C-alpha cells in the first residue's frame, strides 16, 4: 500500500463504505440498501438501477418537506438519499455528480443539527459528505464536535483519521485517532478495527520510508560537503 496518499479511488472506497454503514443503518435503510453486484452481473446496470430508486426517494421526500419543512425524519431521509446518491455516482465514476450530491446532503443534515445539535451520526455523516464535496472546514468542525460529544464513537474516529490524513495531510494526528479505534475495539465493529489496523500499518510504513529517504538525502549532502572540503 505504498503511495496511498495518491490513491484517490481507494480513499473514496474506504470513506464511502465505512461511513456508509451509518447512513444505511438509519432512515435510508428502509428505502434502499446498496448491494455489491455479483460477478455475473453488470455493476453499472446494478448501480444505475439503485441510483434511479434513490432519485425517486429524493423527489418524493422534497415534496413531503414542502408540507412539513421542519420534519426531522424527512430531513434525515433527504440527507441520506443525497448521500447515497453520491456513493452510487462515485461507484459509477461520475465524480462531478457525486461531489454535487454530497454537497446537496449538507443542507438537510444541517437543518437536522439545528434541532438536534448533538446527533453524532448526523454530525459524522455531514462531515463525510462535506469532505467528499470538498468542504473541508465543515468536515473538520463536524468531526471535532462529533468526537467531543461521543469520544468513543469508533466510526467518527476512523473517518476523522481518513480526513486528517488525506484531506489535511496530518498523518501523525490521523494515526492517533486510528489507534484510539483499536484501543476501543468495539465488539460489533471488528471489521472496522481490522481495516484500521491495516491503515495504521500502511501509514507507519510510509512514514518510516519517508524518514529513511530523508536521512539518506541528508547523508549524501553531508558526504558531498565533506568531499568538497
Amino acid at each position: 500500500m505504498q503511495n496511498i496518499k495518491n490513491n484517490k479511488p481507494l480513499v473514496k472506497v474506504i470513506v464511502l463504505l465505512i461511513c456508509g454503514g451509518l447512513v444505511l443503518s438509519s432512515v435510508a435503510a428502509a428505502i434502499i440498501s446498496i448491494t455489491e453486484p455479483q460477478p455475473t452481473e453488470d455493476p453499472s446496470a446494478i448501480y444505475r438501477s439503485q441510483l434511479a430508486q434513490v432519485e425517486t426517494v429524493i423527489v418524493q421526500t422534497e415534496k413531503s418537506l414542502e408540507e412539513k419543512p421542519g420534519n426531522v425524519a424527512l430531513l434525515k431521509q433527504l440527507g441520506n438519499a443525497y448521500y447515497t446518491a453520491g456513493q452510487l455516482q462515485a461507484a459509477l465514476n461520475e465524480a462531478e455528480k457525486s461531489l454535487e450530491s454530497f454537497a446537496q446532503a449538507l443542507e438537510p443534515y444541517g437543518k437536522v443539527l439545528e434541532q438536534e445539535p448533538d446527533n453524532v451520526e448526523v454530525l459524522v455523516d455531514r462531515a463525510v459528505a462535506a469532505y467528499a464535496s470538498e468542504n473541508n472546514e465543515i468536515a473538520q468542525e463536524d468531526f471535532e464536535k462529533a468526537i467531543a460529544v461521543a469520544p468513543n464513537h469508533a466510526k467518527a474516529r476512523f473517518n476523522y483519521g481518513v480526513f486528517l490524513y488525506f484531506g489535511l495531510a496530518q498523518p501523525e494526528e490521523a494515526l492517533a485517532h486510528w489507534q484510539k479505534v483499536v484501543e476501543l475495539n468495539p465488539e460489533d465493529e471488528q471489521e472496522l478495527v481490522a481495516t484500521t489496523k491495516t491503515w495504521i500499518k500502511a501509514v507507519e510504513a510510509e512514514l518510516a520510508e519517508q524518514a529513511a529517504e530523508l536521512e539518506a538525502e541528508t547523508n549524501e549532502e553531508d558526504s558531498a560537503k565533506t568531499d568538497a572540503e
Side-chain angles (χ1 to χ4, degrees):
M1 293 181 66
Q2 295 182 354
N3 300 320
I4 56 177
K5 189 170 291 186
N6 296 322
N7 195 336
K8 294 183 179 179
L10 179 57
V11 177
K12 184 70 72 174
V13 167
I14 284 184
V15 173
L16 301 186
L17 293 187
I18 294 295
C19 210
L22 286 174
V23 171
L24 297 177
S25 68
S26 59
V27 181
I31 302 167
I32 175 174
S33 178
I34 297 179
T35 57
E36 290 295 320
Q38 298 299 313
T40 57
E41 296 177 323
D42 177 6
S44 295
I46 298 297
Y47 290 138
R48 290 201 181 283
S49 174
Q50 294 173 345
L51 181 58
Q53 296 176 56
V54 174
E55 289 171 342
T56 298
V57 171
I58 289 172
V59 172
Q60 293 173 341
T61 307
E62 287 178 336
K63 288 182 178 179
S64 297
L65 279 167
E66 291 176 3
E67 300 178 2
K68 302 176 180 179
N71 186 282
V72 169
L74 289 173
L75 289 168
K76 287 180 183 178
Q77 180 168 295
L78 183 59
N80 291 344
Y82 275 125
Y83 186 114
T84 305
Q87 289 179 292
L88 290 165
Q89 288 158 340
L92 289 164
N93 295 316
E94 297 177 351
E96 291 185 8
K97 291 181 179 180
S98 176
L99 187 148
E100 182 180 353
S101 291
F102 280 116
Q104 287 176 301
L106 300 183
E107 182 178 353
Y109 281 151
K111 289 181 178 179
V112 172
L113 292 172
E114 289 175 4
Q115 300 182 59
E116 301 178 356
D118 293 339
N119 188 317
V120 177
E121 290 196 356
V122 175
L123 281 166
V124 174
D125 288 343
R126 190 173 77 153
V128 175
Y131 172 40
S133 59
E134 301 179 357
N135 288 285
N136 283 1
E137 290 185 9
I138 294 175
Q140 185 165 15
E141 180 180 342
D142 285 353
F143 274 131
E144 289 179 351
K145 183 168 184 180
I147 290 171
V149 171
N152 295 335
H153 195 291
K155 284 183 179 177
R157 291 277 186 179
F158 176 86
N159 286 304
Y160 190 29
V162 172
F163 170 70
L164 287 168
Y165 183 75
F166 292 99
L168 301 185
Q170 297 178 1
E172 290 82 6
E173 291 82 352
L175 285 170
H177 286 282
W178 289 338
Q179 287 161 352
K180 181 64 176 179
V181 174
V182 175
E183 177 186 326
L184 290 169
N185 194 29
E187 291 185 6
D188 59 342
E189 297 286 358
Q190 289 303 297
E191 184 176 350
L192 177 64
V193 173
T195 299
T196 304
K197 289 179 179 178
T198 298
W199 279 92
I200 289 173
K201 182 178 180 180
V203 173
E204 287 180 338
E206 186 173 87
L207 292 177
E209 181 179 348
Q210 291 173 357
E213 290 175 354
L214 180 60
E215 182 178 1
E217 290 175 2
T218 301
N219 290 339
E220 288 179 5
E221 291 175 357
D222 291 343
S223 177
K225 289 180 181 178
T226 301
D227 292 342
E229 294 173 355

